[in-house]
Amino acid sequence: MTDTSYDYDLFVLGAGSGGVRAARIAAGHGARVAVAEEHRVGGTCVIRGCVPKKLLVYGAHFAEDLDDAAMFGWDIPSRRFDWPVLRDNVMAEVGRLEGLYGETLANHQVTVLKTRAVVTGPQSLRIADGRTVTAGKILLSPGARPALPDIPGVEHAITSNDVFELEEMPKRVVIAGGGYIANEFAGVFHQLGAHVTIVNRSDTILRGYDEQIVDRLVKTSLAKGIDFRFNAGFDSLEKREDGSILCKMKGCDDIEADQVLFAIGRIPNTEGLGLEELGVELTERGAVKVDEQYRSTVPSIFAVGDVTDRIQLTPVAIREGHAFADTQFGDKPCTVDYDNIPSAVFSHPPIGSVGLTESQAKNKLGVIRTYTSDFRPMKYVLAGRNERALYKIVVDEGSDKVVGVHLIGPDAPEILQGAAVAVKAGLTKADFDATFALHPTMAEELVLMR
Ligand code: NDP
C-alpha cells in the first residue's frame, strides 16, 4: 500500500470526529498518516459542540433538581449560581479531552500538524508555512461552521461557539432558529436564570421530529417561561450604549436582549481550500459531493462528516471515517447503513428519537398503529412538578414491526438508546410486549403500551 513517492499515504484535513477516526484506523492498517488541524484537536464535538454543551446541560439542570429536592426532605437554605465556575470547569474538561485525542493520534504514529492546509493538487497540499506536502489520498474532514444571516449589526450576535466563553450570564437572550442548538441552549440559558425568546422563521421547530413530541416540547418550554416568536425574522441588530442589543424584527415586535444567538444551521467549511479549482464538485451549500465510498469527483480526494452536509451528527462522521479507512487502507470494503439513526435533542426536557415519525410512517407504509404513554414521572409527582413525559411507538400494521420510537421526558436519550437497538434489529410490537417491565422506571412504559 505504501508508495514512498508521496510524503504520506493519507493526509487528513481536519481533526474532528470523522478525521481523527479515519486517521487512527488508517494508521492501524499500516498507512503513513498526517492530520492538519488549524484550531484544536477534537473538532466541533469535543471543543465547542456536543461535549461542552452536554456539560452545560447537566450544570443547568441543577436549577430544577435543587427546586425538586425540597419535597425529598432537603433543606437548601441558599443557592447561588456562579457562571465562571461552570464555564471554566467545562473548558478544563475540554482541554483534558483534547489532550487524550492528541495522545491517541500520537500512539498510532499519526503526524499532527497544527496548521491550516490548502489542497493544491489531487495529491498535494500546502501548509501554512508554505511547505508542500504530498499524499496518495486526501481526506477532507474540516467540518462546518454556524451560519449567520446577512443583516446589519450581525456582528453583535454570537453563535454556539461563543457561548462557552461568555464573560457573564446574560439576563435576556434571543435565540434565532428552531433546531437542535436553539432548543438546547434555550434550556441551558433559561435554567441558568436568563429570560429566553426563541425566534423561528416558520411555525415549525425541530423539523423532522414527531409532531406530537415537538408540540410537547413547545408547551413545556412555554410553561417554564421560554417565549417563542413564530413566523418572525430579524431586520437588524443595534448595539445600545448600555451594551444591550435592540433586535429590529419583522413578523413580531422588536425585542431587547443582552445576547442574540444565531442557531440557523451550519455551513460546510469548504471555502478557501482550493477545491473548486481542482474540480472537486460542491453542492449549492458548498458541501463536498461524495459517492458511497466517500470519494469526491477527484478520485484521490475523499470527504466525511459535516463537510458533506448530509447528517451532521458525530456518530455518523465517526462511522464514515472508519468505513473510509477500512475500505481504502484495510482491504475491508464497507459502506455505512444510514437507516434508523437515533438522535437526541438535549433540551429541557430532552428528546430521544429513532425511526419513522407518525406522519413519515403513514406516508411510507400506509397503515400503521401508534401507541402513546403520557405520564408524570414518579419523581415529579413527589416533587410537585407539573411536567409530563410523552412516549410514542409507531408500528407497521402489516409486519407488526416497531418502526419508530419517540420520547420526551427526563433522560429520554439515555432510555432511547436501548430502544434504538430494537428498532434497528426489526423487532415487533409483540417482542416489546413480551419483554418484562423494569419496575419502577420511566423506561418500563416502552413495554407496557397497549
Ligand atoms: P438545525 O438544522 O437543527 O436547525 C436550523 C434552524 O434554523 C431550523 O429551525 C431552520 O428552520 C432555521 N433556519 C435555517 N435557515 C434559516 C435562515 N436563513 N433564517 C432563519 N432561520 C433559519 O441547525 P442547528 O444550527 O440548530 O444545528 C446544526 C446541526 O448540528 C444540526 O442539524 C445537527 O445535525 C447538529 N447538532 C446536533 C445536536 C445533537 O445531536 N443533539 C446538537 C446540536 C447540533 P427550517 O426548519 O424552516 O429550515
Side-chain angles (χ1 to χ4, degrees):
M1 170 216 325
T2 291
D3 178 347
T4 47
S5 59
Y6 298 112
D7 297 324
Y8 300 100
D9 299 310
L10 172 64
F11 194 101
V12 180
L13 203 155
S17 302
V20 167
R21 175 59 68 94
R24 174 165 79 73
I25 299 301
H29 290 312
R32 298 168 305 134
V33 183
V35 182
E37 172 55 60
E38 62 180 325
H39 299 302
R40 295 172 67 181
V41 173
T44 301
C45 175
V46 176
I47 306 298
R48 52 191 170 273
C50 326
V51 171
K53 178 276 312 285
K54 183 74 185 279
L55 291 170
L56 290 190
V57 169
Y58 278 133
H61 211 280
F62 278 97
E64 287 187 354
D65 294 341
L66 290 171
D67 280 346
D68 292 351
M71 286 299 283
F72 289 86
W74 292 92
D75 176 20
I76 301 163
S78 75
R79 50 185 234 190
R80 192 180 66 83
F81 173 67
D82 194 339
W83 163 246
V85 171
L86 175 59
R87 179 196 61 200
D88 295 349
N89 286 340
V90 168
M91 283 300 104
E93 175 60 7
V94 165
R96 189 183 72 83
L97 292 172
E98 182 187 9
L100 289 179
Y101 267 65
E103 269 175 39
T104 302
L105 290 173
N107 291 341
H108 285 79
Q109 279 75 51
V110 173
T111 304
V112 178
L113 303 165
K114 293 277 187 80
T115 175
R116 182 170 172 80
V118 173
V119 186
T120 50
Q123 287 160 314
S124 65
L125 304 102
R126 192 179 54 248
I127 56 176
D129 65 7
R131 261 189 307 146
T132 291
V133 180
T134 58
K137 287 177 178 137
I138 295 172
L139 178 67
L140 305 169
S141 50
R145 64 184 186 282
L148 282 168
D150 188 12
I151 55 163
V154 71
E155 67 277 10
H156 304 309
I158 59 171
T159 69
S160 54
N161 291 348
D162 307 306
V163 173
F164 309 105
E165 287 165 13
L166 286 177
E167 284 291 317
E168 55 186 39
M169 194 35 56
K171 292 196 169 55
R172 299 162 300 176
V173 183
V174 170
I175 303 181
Y180 287 83
I181 295 178
N183 284 285
E184 292 181 345
F185 280 111
V188 168
F189 280 120
H190 173 74
Q191 299 288 322
L192 296 182
H195 179 267
V196 176
T197 307
I198 291 183
V199 176
N200 194 39
R201 65 175 172 182
S202 71
D203 59 3
T204 305
I205 65 162
L206 290 173
R207 202 182 289 282
Y209 278 87
D210 190 272
E211 283 147 30
Q212 227 179 325
I213 299 288
V214 172
D215 187 53
R216 176 59 53 92
L217 177 64
V218 173
K219 290 207 170 92
T220 309
S221 299
L222 283 167
K224 286 180 192 287
I226 293 174
D227 278 338
F228 287 85
R229 301 281 184 275
F230 292 116
N231 303 308
F234 294 76
D235 271 334
S236 64
L237 303 178
E238 282 174 24
K239 189 97 173 174
R240 291 167 149 184
E241 267 177 26
D242 64 0
S244 67
I245 300 165
L246 177 65
C247 307
K248 296 272 204 178
M249 307 298 294
K250 49 188 172 205
C252 69
D253 290 343
D254 295 349
I255 313 173
E256 283 182 27
D258 301 305
Q259 290 290 355
V260 178
L261 167 67
F262 274 93
I264 55 170
R266 296 174 62 84
I267 303 171
N269 278 329
T270 47
E271 270 169 32
L273 289 184
L275 300 177
E276 279 158 301
E277 295 86 324
L278 274 176
V280 174
E281 220 176 293
L282 305 181
T283 67
E284 255 177 39
R285 276 172 49 87
V288 180
K289 281 191 188 171
V290 289
D291 65 12
E292 265 206 335
Q293 309 275 305
Y294 309 105
R295 196 184 292 270
S296 76
T297 44
V298 173
S300 55
I301 301 181
F302 298 76
V304 295
D306 289 0
V307 78
T308 62
D309 197 21
R310 298 186 301 183
I311 303 169
Q312 294 184 333
L313 295 177
T314 296
V316 173
I318 290 174
R319 280 266 167 114
E320 292 178 348
H322 203 126
F324 158 78
D326 275 349
T327 304
Q328 301 301 327
F329 297 97
D331 205 16
K332 289 196 269 183
C334 54
T335 52
V336 173
D337 171 5
Y338 292 94
D339 270 354
N340 290 317
I341 297 173
S343 64
V345 186
F346 295 97
S347 41
H348 280 73
I351 292 173
S353 174
V354 65
L356 301 175
T357 65
E358 180 174 351
S359 54
Q360 289 165 348
K362 268 187 193 145
N363 287 340
K364 190 171 173 191
L365 305 169
V367 189
I368 59 158
R369 276 177 280 138
T370 61
Y371 299 83
T372 52
S373 175
D374 188 340
F375 62 98
R376 204 167 158 208
M378 196 189 214
K379 72 173 176 183
Y380 286 173
V381 175
L382 193 70
R385 178 172 292 282
N386 190 17
E387 197 175 309
R388 300 182 74 81
L390 179 65
Y391 286 15
K392 181 168 181 177
I393 290 183
V394 183
V395 179
D396 174 30
E397 178 68 38
S399 62
D400 194 43
K401 271 190 187 165
V402 174
V403 293
V405 178
H406 311 281
L407 318 175
I408 181 167
D411 295 326
E414 303 288 348
I415 294 165
L416 194 270
Q417 182 70 78
V421 176
V423 173
K424 186 76 186 165
L427 298 190
T428 61
K429 180 65 169 57
D431 294 318
F432 274 59
D433 294 349
T435 305
F436 270 97
L438 264 169
H439 185 70
T441 62
M442 292 178 285
E444 69 180 316
E445 297 299 322
L446 285 174
V447 298
L448 295 176
M449 287 185 233
R450 298 287 188 270

